[in-house]
Amino acid sequence: MYRYLLLGLAAIVLFISCNSNDKEQIFTKEELAIINDTLSPLMKVFVITDKSDSLLLRRTTTELSNAELQSKAYETLCKRMVKTVTDSTVDGVGIAGPQVGISRRVVAVQRYDKEGAPFEVYPNIYIKEYSKETVPGREGCLSVPKSTLSEQEMKCGVVRSEWVIISYTDARELKTVQDTVKGYTARIFQHETDHLEGILYTDRIQPTTQP
Ligand SMILES: [Zn+2]
């Protein structure tokens, strides 16, 4: 009788642990196909001139689970996003998940405010606070070909906060971290986190007196 009780308990424990594994969301098949498509060293950059790319660029992204952050696929995604944005044919200062077809809350940003201006990847990033002080400036986007802009739009800039407080998940410690970012790097963070809400910088442009 005692033995059956133990067996029963073991079955319940096994059931619970299997169930909790099911709840851990791992990348979809489609996402894994994009992440692991190493036939090309660079990831395809989604652009607004393509109808289906455009639909994905306008979607709101979802967060990455802890299991995803600790997966090999996430590591590959980070490396490939940075490789893509730093390639001489792209030469960008930041890139967001949707720009490579991954509708997730992740951005890679060049930290001009750090020595050596390294590229760093920020999962589950949010801007917690925007400074009231703003500054106009010109922006460009890997997903918005210059040929799609009117002459007037080319002369426009985007008004952004001078500094922001960001919050993101430290992928190793799986803890939420906050950081204050200023200057041009704060502009990059604002541009990239906009992508995670389906917002493009062209939605925010306005005439500016900036040269
Ligand atoms: Zn962009």
Side-chain angles (χ1 to χ4, degrees), residues 62-75:
T62 55
E63 287 191 6
L64 292 141
S65 69
N66 284 349
E68 282 166 337
L69 291 179
Q70 291 181 312
S71 68
K72 180 84 189 136
Y74 175 72
E75 201 182 306

Side-chain angles (χ1 to χ4, degrees), residues 94-96 99 139-144 191-192 195 199-201:
I95 196 163
Q99 293 184 278
E139 289 182 22
C141 181
L142 309 178
S143 298
V144 182
H191 177 119
E192 299 309 332
H195 273 298
I199 299 167
L200 298 171
Y201 85 98

